[in-house]
Amino acid sequence: MTGRAAAWFGQCYQRAPEGVWHAPGRVNLIGEHTDYNEGFVLPFALRRGIWAAAARRSDGLLELRSRQFPGEPVTVALDWLAPGSVTGWAAYPAGVAWALRRAGHDIGGASLAIDADLAAGAALSSSAALECAAALALAGLYQLAVPRAELARLAAAAENDFAGVPAGIMDQSASLRCEAGHALLLDCRTGAGTAVPLDLAGPGLALLLIDTRTRRALADGRYAARRRACEEAARALGVRALRDVTDSSAIARRLTDPVLRRAARHVITENARVLAAADLLLAGRPGGCGELLTASHQSLRDDFAVSWPQADAAVSAAVRAGALGARMTGGGFAGAVIALIPQDRLAQVRASVSAAFGRDGWQPPGFSQVRPAAGAGRLR
Protein backbone atom coordinates (compact mmCIF):
# COMPACT_ATOMS: atom_id res chain seq x y z
CA MET A 1 0.00 0.00 0.00
CA THR A 2 2.90 2.40 0.60
CA GLY A 3 4.00 2.06 -3.01
CA ARG A 4 0.41 2.41 -4.18
CA ALA A 5 -0.01 5.63 -2.20
CA ALA A 6 3.19 7.04 -3.67
CA ALA A 7 2.07 6.06 -7.17
CA TRP A 8 -1.31 7.69 -6.56
CA PHE A 9 0.49 10.89 -5.54
CA GLY A 10 2.51 10.78 -8.76
CA GLN A 11 -0.64 10.28 -10.79
CA CYS A 12 -2.29 13.26 -9.10
CA TYR A 13 0.61 15.71 -9.07
CA GLN A 14 3.08 14.46 -11.72
CA ARG A 15 5.97 14.32 -9.24
CA ALA A 16 7.22 12.13 -6.43
CA PRO A 17 6.05 12.68 -2.83
CA GLU A 18 8.50 13.81 -0.18
CA GLY A 19 7.17 11.16 2.19
CA VAL A 20 4.41 8.65 2.93
CA TRP A 21 2.73 8.37 6.33
CA HIS A 22 0.28 5.77 7.66
CA ALA A 23 -2.27 6.02 10.48
CA PRO A 24 -4.27 2.95 11.53
CA GLY A 25 -7.90 2.55 12.37
CA ARG A 26 -8.80 1.13 15.74
CA VAL A 27 -11.05 -1.34 17.50
CA ASN A 28 -12.22 -0.33 20.93
CA LEU A 29 -12.04 -3.44 23.08
CA ILE A 30 -14.22 -1.79 25.73
CA GLY A 31 -15.11 1.71 26.88
CA GLU A 32 -17.79 3.25 24.66
CA HIS A 33 -19.06 6.83 25.05
CA THR A 34 -16.77 7.29 28.03
CA ASP A 35 -14.10 9.39 26.33
CA TYR A 36 -16.08 12.63 26.06
CA ASN A 37 -17.18 12.02 29.65
CA GLU A 38 -13.49 12.24 30.66
CA GLY A 39 -13.45 8.55 31.51
CA PHE A 40 -11.45 5.48 30.50
CA VAL A 41 -11.15 3.56 27.23
CA LEU A 42 -9.21 0.50 26.06
CA PRO A 43 -8.69 0.57 22.27
CA PHE A 44 -6.06 -1.08 20.08
CA ALA A 45 -4.77 -0.21 16.62
CA LEU A 46 -5.49 -2.20 13.46
CA ARG A 47 -3.19 -2.96 10.57
CA ARG A 48 -5.72 -1.33 8.23
CA GLY A 49 -5.77 2.41 7.95
CA ILE A 50 -5.08 5.55 5.90
CA TRP A 51 -1.99 6.46 3.87
CA ALA A 52 -1.04 10.07 3.12
CA ALA A 53 1.62 10.74 0.47
CA ALA A 54 2.61 14.39 0.61
CA ALA A 55 4.91 17.15 -0.58
CA ARG A 56 5.32 20.83 0.21
CA ARG A 57 4.22 23.61 -2.09
CA SER A 58 5.14 27.29 -2.05
CA ASP A 59 1.82 28.92 -2.99
CA GLY A 60 0.08 28.72 0.38
CA LEU A 61 -2.49 26.24 -0.90
CA LEU A 62 -3.59 22.92 0.53
CA GLU A 63 -4.59 20.45 -2.18
CA LEU A 64 -6.29 17.21 -1.19
CA ARG A 65 -7.03 14.19 -3.36
CA SER A 66 -8.33 10.77 -2.39
CA ARG A 67 -8.24 7.49 -4.29
CA GLN A 68 -11.53 6.61 -2.61
CA PHE A 69 -13.15 9.88 -3.81
CA PRO A 70 -11.34 10.46 -7.13
CA GLY A 71 -13.87 12.93 -8.48
CA GLU A 72 -13.62 15.28 -5.51
CA PRO A 73 -10.22 17.06 -5.42
CA VAL A 74 -10.19 19.99 -3.00
CA THR A 75 -7.89 23.02 -3.12
CA VAL A 76 -8.09 25.74 -0.49
CA ALA A 77 -5.87 28.63 0.61
CA LEU A 78 -4.52 27.98 4.10
CA ASP A 79 -5.22 31.58 5.09
CA TRP A 80 -8.90 31.08 4.26
CA LEU A 81 -9.40 27.92 6.29
CA ALA A 82 -12.25 28.25 8.78
CA PRO A 83 -14.92 25.91 10.14
CA GLY A 84 -17.43 25.26 7.39
CA SER A 85 -15.09 26.27 4.58
CA VAL A 86 -14.46 22.64 3.57
CA THR A 87 -17.05 19.85 3.71
CA GLY A 88 -17.17 16.10 3.10
CA TRP A 89 -14.16 13.83 3.49
CA ALA A 90 -11.70 16.71 2.90
CA ALA A 91 -12.91 18.55 6.03
CA TYR A 92 -10.88 16.17 8.20
CA PRO A 93 -7.39 16.76 6.74
CA ALA A 94 -8.19 20.44 6.08
CA GLY A 95 -9.28 20.73 9.69
CA VAL A 96 -5.93 19.37 10.82
CA ALA A 97 -4.09 22.09 8.87
CA TRP A 98 -6.41 24.66 10.44
CA ALA A 99 -5.87 23.26 13.97
CA LEU A 100 -2.09 23.20 13.57
CA ARG A 101 -2.02 26.81 12.40
CA ARG A 102 -4.44 27.91 15.13
CA ALA A 103 -2.07 26.36 17.69
CA GLY A 104 0.81 28.44 16.31
CA HIS A 105 2.57 25.78 14.24
CA ASP A 106 4.15 27.22 11.12
CA ILE A 107 3.01 25.08 8.24
CA GLY A 108 2.87 26.14 4.61
CA GLY A 109 1.20 24.78 1.53
CA ALA A 110 1.04 21.07 0.81
CA SER A 111 -0.26 18.54 -1.68
CA LEU A 112 -1.70 15.36 -0.16
CA ALA A 113 -2.82 12.17 -1.88
CA ILE A 114 -4.90 9.87 0.34
CA ASP A 115 -5.35 6.12 0.02
CA ALA A 116 -7.07 3.69 2.38
CA ASP A 117 -7.92 0.08 3.09
CA LEU A 118 -10.25 1.02 5.94
CA ALA A 119 -13.98 1.29 5.22
CA ALA A 120 -15.64 4.58 6.09
CA GLY A 121 -18.55 4.44 8.52
CA ALA A 122 -17.73 0.93 9.78
CA ALA A 123 -16.98 2.06 13.37
CA LEU A 124 -13.24 1.55 12.89
CA SER A 125 -12.38 5.25 13.12
CA SER A 126 -11.58 6.05 9.52
CA SER A 127 -12.06 9.79 10.08
CA ALA A 128 -9.56 9.89 12.95
CA ALA A 129 -7.07 7.82 10.94
CA LEU A 130 -7.41 10.33 8.10
CA GLU A 131 -6.80 13.20 10.51
CA CYS A 132 -3.78 11.51 12.06
CA ALA A 133 -2.21 10.62 8.71
CA ALA A 134 -2.61 14.24 7.58
CA ALA A 135 -1.27 15.54 10.90
CA LEU A 136 1.86 13.41 10.68
CA ALA A 137 2.36 14.37 7.04
CA LEU A 138 2.07 18.10 7.67
CA ALA A 139 4.22 17.93 10.79
CA GLY A 140 6.81 15.86 8.93
CA LEU A 141 6.92 18.10 5.88
CA TYR A 142 7.53 21.17 8.03
CA GLN A 143 9.70 19.46 10.67
CA LEU A 144 7.40 20.18 13.59
CA ALA A 145 8.29 18.43 16.84
CA VAL A 146 4.77 17.95 18.18
CA PRO A 147 4.36 15.27 20.88
CA ARG A 148 1.95 12.47 19.97
CA ALA A 149 -0.50 13.34 22.76
CA GLU A 150 -0.65 16.96 21.57
CA LEU A 151 -1.02 15.89 17.95
CA ALA A 152 -3.95 13.70 18.98
CA ARG A 153 -5.53 16.69 20.72
CA LEU A 154 -5.13 18.84 17.61
CA ALA A 155 -6.57 16.11 15.37
CA ALA A 156 -9.54 15.82 17.71
CA ALA A 157 -9.99 19.60 17.57
CA ALA A 158 -10.10 19.33 13.78
CA GLU A 159 -12.95 16.82 14.07
CA ASN A 160 -14.84 18.71 16.78
CA ASP A 161 -14.36 22.35 15.83
CA PHE A 162 -13.74 22.25 12.07
CA ALA A 163 -15.70 19.23 10.83
CA GLY A 164 -18.39 19.69 13.48
CA VAL A 165 -18.41 16.12 14.84
CA PRO A 166 -18.63 16.07 18.67
CA ALA A 167 -16.46 12.98 19.23
CA GLY A 168 -13.93 12.46 22.03
CA ILE A 169 -10.16 12.00 22.06
CA MET A 170 -10.02 8.19 21.99
CA ASP A 171 -9.79 7.53 18.28
CA GLN A 172 -6.96 9.94 17.55
CA SER A 173 -5.05 8.77 20.64
CA ALA A 174 -5.40 5.14 19.61
CA SER A 175 -4.19 5.82 16.07
CA LEU A 176 -1.15 7.80 17.20
CA ARG A 177 -0.21 6.16 20.51
CA CYS A 178 -1.00 2.44 20.38
CA GLU A 179 1.76 -0.19 20.39
CA ALA A 180 1.87 -3.54 18.61
CA GLY A 181 0.62 -6.38 20.81
CA HIS A 182 -1.01 -3.99 23.27
CA ALA A 183 -4.21 -2.13 23.99
CA LEU A 184 -4.04 1.45 25.24
CA LEU A 185 -5.61 2.17 28.62
CA LEU A 186 -6.31 5.87 28.19
CA ASP A 187 -7.44 8.28 30.87
CA CYS A 188 -9.36 10.75 28.73
CA ARG A 189 -9.20 13.47 31.39
CA THR A 190 -5.46 13.55 31.99
CA GLY A 191 -4.30 12.08 28.68
CA ALA A 192 -2.21 9.49 30.53
CA GLY A 193 -1.89 6.28 28.55
CA THR A 194 -0.69 2.84 29.60
CA ALA A 195 0.20 0.06 27.18
CA VAL A 196 -1.62 -3.07 28.34
CA PRO A 197 -0.52 -6.45 26.87
CA LEU A 198 -3.25 -8.01 24.76
CA ASP A 199 -1.90 -11.54 24.33
CA LEU A 200 -4.58 -13.85 23.02
CA ALA A 201 -2.59 -16.50 21.18
CA GLY A 202 -1.04 -17.90 24.36
CA PRO A 203 -4.36 -18.83 25.99
CA GLY A 204 -5.80 -19.98 22.67
CA LEU A 205 -8.15 -17.06 22.09
CA ALA A 206 -8.95 -14.82 19.14
CA LEU A 207 -10.75 -11.53 18.55
CA LEU A 208 -13.19 -11.72 15.66
CA LEU A 209 -14.32 -8.48 14.06
CA ILE A 210 -17.81 -8.86 12.59
CA ASP A 211 -18.75 -6.27 9.99
CA THR A 212 -22.55 -6.02 10.11
CA ARG A 213 -22.50 -4.29 6.67
CA THR A 214 -24.31 -1.27 8.08
CA ARG A 215 -22.85 2.23 7.83
CA ARG A 216 -23.43 5.47 9.65
CA ALA A 217 -22.10 9.01 10.05
CA LEU A 218 -21.44 10.50 13.49
CA ALA A 219 -22.53 13.85 12.11
CA ASP A 220 -26.15 12.68 11.73
CA GLY A 221 -27.17 14.09 15.13
CA ARG A 222 -27.81 10.99 17.21
CA TYR A 223 -24.27 10.84 18.58
CA ALA A 224 -24.47 14.53 19.51
CA ALA A 225 -27.78 13.90 21.28
CA ARG A 226 -26.18 11.23 23.48
CA ARG A 227 -23.35 13.59 24.35
CA ARG A 228 -25.80 16.33 25.31
CA ALA A 229 -27.65 13.90 27.56
CA CYS A 230 -24.42 13.07 29.37
CA GLU A 231 -23.60 16.76 29.82
CA GLU A 232 -27.08 17.45 31.18
CA ALA A 233 -26.78 14.52 33.58
CA ALA A 234 -23.42 15.77 34.84
CA ARG A 235 -24.86 19.24 35.49
CA ALA A 236 -27.82 17.76 37.32
CA LEU A 237 -25.45 15.72 39.48
CA GLY A 238 -23.24 18.74 40.17
CA VAL A 239 -20.04 17.31 38.67
CA ARG A 240 -17.69 18.38 35.91
CA ALA A 241 -18.19 15.11 34.00
CA LEU A 242 -19.86 11.76 34.60
CA ARG A 243 -16.43 10.27 35.21
CA ASP A 244 -16.62 11.97 38.65
CA VAL A 245 -19.68 9.97 39.71
CA THR A 246 -18.69 6.82 41.56
CA ASP A 247 -21.80 6.30 43.68
CA SER A 248 -24.36 4.75 41.35
CA SER A 249 -27.11 5.25 43.92
CA ALA A 250 -26.85 9.00 43.31
CA ILE A 251 -28.27 8.44 39.83
CA ALA A 252 -31.57 7.09 41.11
CA ARG A 253 -31.82 9.75 43.83
CA ARG A 254 -30.98 12.84 41.81
CA LEU A 255 -31.87 12.16 38.17
CA THR A 256 -35.61 12.15 37.57
CA ASP A 257 -35.38 12.13 33.76
CA PRO A 258 -35.19 8.44 32.72
CA VAL A 259 -33.10 9.24 29.60
CA LEU A 260 -30.48 11.07 31.67
CA ARG A 261 -30.57 8.37 34.35
CA ARG A 262 -29.91 5.60 31.83
CA ALA A 263 -27.14 7.57 30.09
CA ALA A 264 -25.37 8.22 33.37
CA ARG A 265 -25.73 4.62 34.48
CA HIS A 266 -24.09 3.42 31.26
CA VAL A 267 -21.11 5.74 31.58
CA ILE A 268 -20.50 4.95 35.24
CA THR A 269 -20.72 1.18 34.79
CA GLU A 270 -18.72 1.28 31.54
CA ASN A 271 -15.82 3.07 33.22
CA ALA A 272 -15.76 0.33 35.85
CA ARG A 273 -15.77 -2.35 33.14
CA VAL A 274 -12.80 -0.74 31.36
CA LEU A 275 -10.69 -0.72 34.51
CA ALA A 276 -11.69 -4.30 35.31
CA ALA A 277 -10.76 -5.43 31.79
CA ALA A 278 -7.37 -3.73 32.03
CA ASP A 279 -6.70 -5.47 35.34
CA LEU A 280 -7.55 -8.84 33.78
CA LEU A 281 -5.23 -8.24 30.83
CA LEU A 282 -2.40 -7.14 33.12
CA ALA A 283 -2.95 -10.30 35.16
CA GLY A 284 -2.69 -12.46 32.03
CA ARG A 285 -6.36 -13.47 32.13
CA PRO A 286 -7.85 -12.14 28.87
CA GLY A 287 -10.58 -14.77 28.83
CA GLY A 288 -12.12 -13.10 31.86
CA CYS A 289 -12.92 -10.07 29.70
CA GLY A 290 -15.66 -11.96 27.88
CA GLU A 291 -18.42 -11.30 30.40
CA LEU A 292 -17.41 -7.64 30.54
CA LEU A 293 -17.77 -7.33 26.77
CA THR A 294 -21.27 -8.76 26.81
CA ALA A 295 -22.27 -6.59 29.77
CA SER A 296 -20.96 -3.56 27.88
CA HIS A 297 -23.13 -4.43 24.88
CA GLN A 298 -26.20 -4.87 27.03
CA SER A 299 -25.61 -1.46 28.60
CA LEU A 300 -25.11 0.19 25.21
CA ARG A 301 -28.28 -1.49 23.94
CA ASP A 302 -30.58 -0.98 26.92
CA ASP A 303 -29.30 2.11 28.75
CA PHE A 304 -27.52 4.16 26.09
CA ALA A 305 -29.69 3.05 23.15
CA VAL A 306 -26.99 3.12 20.46
CA SER A 307 -27.05 -0.50 19.29
CA TRP A 308 -28.84 -1.69 16.15
CA PRO A 309 -30.58 -4.93 15.14
CA GLN A 310 -27.67 -6.53 13.27
CA ALA A 311 -25.32 -5.90 16.21
CA ASP A 312 -27.74 -7.41 18.70
CA ALA A 313 -28.19 -10.47 16.48
CA ALA A 314 -24.44 -10.88 15.99
CA VAL A 315 -23.73 -10.67 19.73
CA SER A 316 -26.45 -13.18 20.61
CA ALA A 317 -25.45 -15.62 17.87
CA ALA A 318 -21.76 -15.39 18.74
CA VAL A 319 -22.32 -16.08 22.44
CA ARG A 320 -24.69 -18.98 21.67
CA ALA A 321 -22.00 -20.55 19.50
CA GLY A 322 -19.28 -20.38 22.14
CA ALA A 323 -17.89 -16.83 22.20
CA LEU A 324 -16.77 -15.82 25.69
CA GLY A 325 -18.31 -12.41 25.09
CA ALA A 326 -19.16 -9.91 22.38
CA ARG A 327 -20.16 -6.29 21.98
CA MET A 328 -20.77 -3.57 19.45
CA THR A 329 -17.71 -1.37 18.99
CA GLY A 330 -17.62 2.28 18.01
CA GLY A 331 -20.08 5.12 18.42
CA GLY A 332 -23.10 3.02 17.57
CA PHE A 333 -26.15 2.92 15.29
CA ALA A 334 -24.24 0.85 12.69
CA GLY A 335 -20.83 -0.69 12.05
CA ALA A 336 -19.06 -3.60 13.71
CA VAL A 337 -19.11 -6.11 16.56
CA ILE A 338 -16.07 -7.56 18.34
CA ALA A 339 -16.20 -11.09 19.80
CA LEU A 340 -13.72 -12.85 22.10
CA ILE A 341 -13.64 -16.49 21.07
CA PRO A 342 -11.67 -19.66 21.81
CA GLN A 343 -9.80 -20.40 18.59
CA ASP A 344 -11.42 -23.81 18.27
CA ARG A 345 -14.86 -22.15 18.16
CA LEU A 346 -14.17 -19.61 15.41
CA ALA A 347 -15.82 -21.60 12.64
CA GLN A 348 -18.92 -22.26 14.73
CA VAL A 349 -19.27 -18.58 15.63
CA ARG A 350 -18.94 -17.49 12.01
CA ALA A 351 -21.57 -20.03 10.96
CA SER A 352 -23.95 -19.02 13.76
CA VAL A 353 -23.74 -15.29 12.97
CA SER A 354 -24.09 -15.89 9.23
CA ALA A 355 -27.16 -18.07 9.81
CA ALA A 356 -28.76 -15.42 12.03
CA PHE A 357 -28.26 -12.77 9.35
CA GLY A 358 -29.64 -15.10 6.69
CA ARG A 359 -32.80 -15.76 8.69
CA ASP A 360 -33.52 -12.03 8.84
CA GLY A 361 -32.69 -11.45 5.19
CA TRP A 362 -29.74 -9.18 5.91
CA GLN A 363 -26.62 -8.83 3.81
CA PRO A 364 -24.08 -11.50 4.84
CA PRO A 365 -21.68 -10.23 7.52
CA GLY A 366 -17.94 -9.90 7.03
CA PHE A 367 -15.41 -11.54 9.34
CA SER A 368 -11.78 -10.80 10.10
CA GLN A 369 -9.54 -11.92 12.91
CA VAL A 370 -7.81 -8.85 14.37
CA ARG A 371 -4.66 -8.38 16.41
CA PRO A 372 -3.27 -5.23 18.06
CA ALA A 373 -0.95 -3.44 15.64
CA ALA A 374 1.46 -0.52 15.87
CA GLY A 375 0.33 3.09 15.82
CA ALA A 376 0.87 5.71 13.15
CA GLY A 377 4.23 6.59 11.62
CA ARG A 378 6.26 7.55 8.58
CA LEU A 379 6.84 4.73 6.10
CA ARG A 380 9.19 6.41 3.62
Side-chain angles (χ1 to χ4, degrees), residues 9 13 15 53-57 61-64 109-113 141:
F9 184 95
Y13 301 109
R15 60 180 173 134
R56 291 167 291 178
R57 51 193 299 159
L61 298 178
L62 178 68
E63 185 170 359
L64 303 164
S111 297
L112 273 67
L141 290 176

Side-chain angles (χ1 to χ4, degrees), residues 64-132:
L64 303 164
R65 294 174 180 262
S66 168
R67 181 184 286 273
Q68 283 64 50
F69 301 94
E72 303 178 30
V74 173
T75 303
V76 60
L78 289 171
D79 289 342
W80 287 94
L81 282 175
S85 61
V86 181
T87 59
W89 72 269
Y92 298 101
V96 168
W98 171 81
L100 284 165
R101 287 166 61 88
R102 186 179 67 164
H105 296 293
D106 187 18
I107 64 166
S111 297
L112 273 67
I114 304 299
D115 200 358
D117 63 356
L118 187 68
L124 302 178
S125 193
S126 59
S127 60
L130 176 55
E131 293 154 6
C132 294

Side-chain angles (χ1 to χ4, degrees), residues 143-348:
Q143 300 181 340
L144 304 178
V146 185
R148 288 295 178 100
E150 173 65 7
L151 207 59
R153 189 188 68 79
L154 293 173
E159 185 150 345
N160 297 164
D161 302 333
F162 191 92
V165 179
I169 192 69
M170 172 182 67
D171 296 344
Q172 295 83 2
S173 298
S175 187
L176 287 165
R177 299 174 63 184
C178 277
E179 300 178 13
H182 294 74
L184 176 70
L185 175 60
L186 180 68
D187 182 333
C188 296
R189 168 170 289 173
T190 67
T194 302
V196 178
L198 184 53
D199 176 20
L200 301 174
L205 301 176
L207 279 170
L208 185 66
L209 184 67
I210 304 169
D211 184 350
T212 67
R213 306 298 191 188
T214 54
R215 298 291 182 263
R216 60 93 180 91
L218 290 183
D220 68 4
R222 292 178 292 175
Y223 186 100
R226 301 309 188 277
R227 182 165 184 163
R228 286 194 300 271
C230 291
E231 292 166 351
E232 290 177 25
R235 284 194 296 270
L237 292 167
V239 294
R240 167 175 154 175
L242 289 178
R243 177 246 180 79
D244 296 310
V245 182
T246 55
D247 178 9
S248 58
S249 65
I251 301 172
R253 292 197 313 269
R254 300 175 61 184
L255 292 178
T256 58
D257 186 321
V259 173
L260 301 189
R261 187 164 59 243
R262 288 192 296 267
R265 183 166 58 209
H266 165 72
V267 173
I268 294 164
T269 57
E270 187 79 344
N271 275 324
R273 285 187 286 268
V274 172
L275 296 176
D279 285 344
L280 286 167
L281 295 180
L282 288 167
R285 297 169 51 207
C289 294
E291 292 183 2
L292 296 171
L293 300 186
T294 303
S296 172
H297 183 79
Q298 292 166 346
S299 180
L300 288 159
R301 180 193 65 201
D302 300 335
D303 277 343
F304 218 66
V306 293
S307 188
W308 63 101
Q310 290 89 337
D312 297 338
V315 168
S316 295
V319 172
R320 283 198 308 270
L324 301 180
R327 63 183 289 274
M328 55 153 281
T329 185
F333 313 111
V337 163
I338 190 81
L340 180 64
I341 306 170
Q343 289 186 358
D344 61 3
R345 301 295 297 177
L346 279 168
Q348 290 91 330

